[in-house]
């Protein structure tokens, strides 16, 4: 069961540079930066009502986000939905033949469980599922 849009991911070359617009331009408050070495990415969140904006900065040249930046430049990267159970959603999507990047839930930012659905199965939008979705 989908609960809400949890966050919108934005790929950036540098969180230090990108945060200026969100903080000074939009007046938002940034969370502490968190390194996710397993995904070779560092992230920071801005809470906007019930939804968050997530800045994603690659930690290595071979990171998925680095490849995205090389191909597309900075910009919208993915949409993440909070679900009651990532495992249940993956089972449902697998039964429908939807192409998954993650066959099983894995750790995301701030203690969440996450999984990605491949953009070729979603009309071109990289789609993430997360469980708990607090990201606080
Ligand atoms: N949105 C839409 N399409 C995307 C995409 C994105 N963010 N990233 C890649 N693609 C597309 C590419 O354009 C490419 O399309 P074509 O085949 O039409 O050219 C295709 O997916 C394959 O891309 P690629 O550059 O060849 O890269 P890979 O196949 O190695 O990996 C993907 C693609 C989506 C599997 C990989 O980027 C991935 O695993 N992403 C999920 C992990 C991730 O992004 N983690 C960071 C988020 C951290 C978090 O929020 O917790």
């Amino acid at each position: 069961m989908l609960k809400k849009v949890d966050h919108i991911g934005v790929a950036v070359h540098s969180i230090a540079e990108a945060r200026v617009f969100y903080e000074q331009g939009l007046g938002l408050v940034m969370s502490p930066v968190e390194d996710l070495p397993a995904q070779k990415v560092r992230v920071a969140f801005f809470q906007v009502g019930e939804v968050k904006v997530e800045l994603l900065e690659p930690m290595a040249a071979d990171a998925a986000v680095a490849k995205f930046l090389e191909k597309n430049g900075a910009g919208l990267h993915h949409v993440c939905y909070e679900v009651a159970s990532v495992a249940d959603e993956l089972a449902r999507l697998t039964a429908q033949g939807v192409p998954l990047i993650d066959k099983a839930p894995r750790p995301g930012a701030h203690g969440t469980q996450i999984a990605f659905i491949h953009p070729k199965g979603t009309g071109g939008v990289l789609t993430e599922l997360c469980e708990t979705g607090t990201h606080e």
Side-chain angles (χ1 to χ4, degrees), residues 7 36 39 41 43 54 56 64-65 67-68 71-72 76-78 101 106 108-109 114 116 118-119 124-126 128:
H7 66 266
L36 300 175
Q39 298 184 57
V41 70
V43 300
E54 176 188 37
L56 303 145
V65 175
K67 286 173 72 178
F68 177 91
K71 186 171 176 183
N72 306 287
L76 286 177
H77 182 262
H78 68 268
I101 294 171
R106 61 181 160 111
I114 64 164
F116 281 92
H118 202 285
V125 179
L126 179 61
E128 180 182 5

Side-chain angles (χ1 to χ4, degrees), residues 46-77:
F46 298 90
Q47 188 80 43
V48 191
E50 280 212 327
V51 180
K52 291 172 280 289
V53 174
E54 176 188 37
L55 300 185
L56 303 145
E57 176 190 313
M59 295 175 68
D62 62 347
V65 175
K67 286 173 72 178
F68 177 91
L69 285 167
E70 200 177 311
K71 186 171 176 183
N72 306 287
L76 286 177
H77 182 262

